[in-house]
Amino acid sequence: MNQKQYIRLSIVLAVPALIASFWLAQQDFIFNRGQLVSCSMSDDECYYEQMSLNDLEEVSSSLNLIQYNRHSPEVFVGIYDLNFPMRIYFYERYGDKKVDVTNLVDSKMLETKSCSLTGEILNCKEPIFSWTSSFGEIEFINRDEQQQYIDRIGEAQSHLKDYFLIRAAIGLGIFLLIAASYLIFSWLVHFIIYGARIDSKQPPPYQ
């Protein structure tokens, strides 16, 4: 193999190696992708933990929390102590009329029934009542409590971290490790074929 062939082979192998490296960096067994945040709506208490996706699913399903903005399997933002003065509505099971269930449902029940909130839109895993659907909404009685709710949600989401740069660095590190292994393997082949002697007449590892 001459020098040009060796360089072309290296380039051809580098492309899939680079793709594989950054793919590996996104995998949960390389770097934990799950993020759990739980925050109280009545005080400034918040808890954050990074974990594997399997652990996140297991832990989140065992907690009595209202999940906020259920949009990604990698993130669980849970809230509790949603004790603001508010009204709770669910839509009729077979219709679009809202039913006021404030006297029948409180925030503790929403926590135990695996419900989620997106803004003020309510969605429970299963209908709480046989005559309502699992979809509804909450309505704050006072604007001050509504703003406090918005602020608390913003604080909870601020604990989430963007690990893109870390994953990119891990991917680059994996690629460099693969490249170093490739070069070492090339020189080992050269050593086996030509021995350890190095002089001006000895061909490079790609010949």
Side-chain angles (χ1 to χ4, degrees):
M1 181 183 295
N2 58 38
Q3 182 178 8
K4 291 184 178 179
Q5 290 174 327
Y6 181 80
I7 294 175
R8 285 198 297 268
L9 175 62
S10 301
I11 294 174
V12 169
L13 293 177
V15 174
L18 186 63
I19 295 174
S21 298
F22 282 93
W23 178 82
L24 285 171
Q26 304 301 314
Q27 302 311 301
D28 197 43
F29 60 86
I30 297 292
F31 185 82
N32 288 337
R33 295 163 56 190
Q35 298 187 70
L36 172 70
V37 179
S38 62
C39 290
S40 171
M41 292 291 101
S42 61
D43 55 40
D44 295 330
E45 180 181 350
C46 278
Y47 171 81
Y48 172 85
E49 184 176 351
Q50 183 183 359
M51 60 185 67
S52 68
L53 295 180
N54 288 336
D55 289 342
L56 178 64
E57 182 178 2
E58 181 179 349
V59 171
S60 60
S61 62
S62 66
L63 297 174
N64 290 330
L65 297 172
I66 301 173
Q67 183 175 1
Y68 187 82
N69 201 7
R70 185 187 298 167
H71 69 283
S72 171
E74 299 182 9
V75 172
F76 184 94
V77 177
I79 60 176
Y80 58 96
D81 292 341
L82 186 61
N83 300 323
F84 301 125
M86 61 184 181
R87 306 201 71 82
I88 301 175
Y89 301 92
F90 279 105
Y91 289 96
E92 290 181 334
R93 192 175 184 88
Y94 304 105
D96 56 359
K97 182 180 178 181
K98 290 192 300 185
V99 180
D100 189 341
V101 295
T102 305
N103 295 328
L104 303 174
V105 178
D106 59 11
S107 63
K108 292 298 182 184
M109 184 178 291
L110 297 180
E111 293 172 10
T112 58
K113 294 296 183 179
S114 300
C115 297
S116 65
L117 280 168
T118 302
E120 298 177 16
I121 305 300
L122 183 62
N123 180 18
C124 296
K125 189 175 183 180
E126 296 179 353
I128 296 179
F129 305 106
S130 60
W131 36 274
T132 64
S133 70
S134 59
F135 297 96
E137 59 185 67
I138 60 175
E139 181 182 291
F140 292 95
I141 296 176
N142 301 316
R143 288 186 178 273
D144 291 342
E145 277 81 9
Q146 183 182 28
Q147 186 59 49
Q148 187 177 354
Y149 165 75
I150 294 172
D151 293 341
R152 290 278 190 266
I153 292 298
E155 180 184 351
Q157 293 180 321
S158 69
H159 287 77
L160 297 175
K161 297 177 174 57
D162 185 359
Y163 290 108
F164 173 78
L165 293 179
I166 294 178
R167 291 175 181 172
I170 292 174
L172 181 60
I174 294 174
F175 174 73
L176 293 176
L177 181 63
I178 294 174
S181 301
Y182 171 74
L183 291 175
I184 292 173
F185 178 77
S186 299
W187 282 105
L188 283 175
V189 172
H190 172 267
F191 173 77
I192 293 172
I193 296 175
Y194 300 105
R197 182 182 176 185
I198 300 176
D199 54 41
S200 60
K201 296 181 180 181
Q202 189 174 12
Y206 42 75
Q207 288 186 346

